[in-house]
Amino acid sequence: PFADSSAIPTFLVSQLAARHVQVVLSGDGGDEALGGYSRYQHDLKEASLRNLLPRWLRRSLLAGLAKVWPRTDWLPRPLRLKSALTNLSLDSAAAYANTLTICRQPNRSRLLSMDVLSELHGHDSQRIARDGFPSHVRQNVGDSPFGPRSGERGYDPLSGMIAADMATLLPDDYLVKVDRASMANGLEVRPPLLDHEFLEL
């Protein structure tokens, strides 16, 4: 099973390319290596605001507001206050995991039957993205009553987001998608931006 709908256009592009060539280059890894996703910019703004707010305020008032605020998914992302309030109440790793989640916990609890929930044994799908954050980025979060300061050593939410994507989305979604779609059409895809020396640089 594979739930990324962009596999369909990737399959069609691969089908078209395979008519003319046997090997192509992809840009996979470029957005991760160079911080190119717009969600990074959005979450960095939230991280900057999070640093200005005392931890007690984030965890009590903002978390409480996030629970009662109505969902407004039809609005542009910056105006979806439920998501912003939730992310501001969390540490950087948990906030980014929340950003990546399509079906968040309250909805999952309502959608899944008790039988299914019991079979999951408390599985937390957001843990995978949280664990992708390097420990030095996460450990400063929430250490002081006011949370981390952007100048603190090791606190770099952008590095955390990139590391989480490199550890989870890239190998478990994007590369799988391209590999399956291309190989189904007899096409070889090479991702030069994932060269380890480039990524180390």
Side-chain angles (χ1 to χ4, degrees), residues 108-121:
R108 251 193 327 270
S109 297
R110 286 195 298 271
L111 287 170
L112 301 177
S113 70
M114 290 307 295
D115 294 354
V116 173
L117 288 172
S118 67
E119 288 295 320
L120 292 175
H121 303 291

Side-chain angles (χ1 to χ4, degrees), residues 15-85:
Q15 190 176 57
L16 181 64
R19 293 179 191 163
H20 307 286
V21 294
Q22 291 181 316
V23 181
V24 297
L25 301 178
S26 81
D28 288 319
D31 284 316
E32 291 80 8
L34 303 171
Y37 290 118
S38 60
R39 66 176 176 260
Y40 294 158
Q41 183 180 18
H42 181 78
D43 276 42
L44 284 173
K45 288 177 185 171
E46 287 179 349
S48 296
L49 183 55
R50 187 181 299 113
N51 287 339
L52 300 174
L53 302 172
R55 184 176 62 186
W56 64 266
L57 178 74
R58 292 188 295 111
R59 296 204 173 157
S60 58
L61 181 62
L62 294 184
L65 273 173
K67 287 180 183 172
V68 298
W69 202 272
R71 290 186 61 85
T72 51
D73 289 344
W74 50 273
L75 287 173
R77 186 169 178 201
L79 300 177
R80 297 179 199 167
L81 285 183
K82 185 173 191 74
S83 178
L85 290 168

Side-chain angles (χ1 to χ4, degrees), residues 176-192:
V176 172
K177 170 189 69 180
V178 172
D179 187 57
R180 289 184 185 180
S182 60
M183 293 304 288
N185 288 289
L187 183 70
E188 292 283 342
V189 177
R190 299 287 180 261

Side-chain angles (χ1 to χ4, degrees), residues 128-144:
I128 298 166
R130 285 195 311 269
D131 289 352
F133 261 65
S135 59
H136 72 273
V137 174
R138 290 181 296 162
Q139 69 191 29
N140 287 334
V141 175
D143 285 349
S144 73

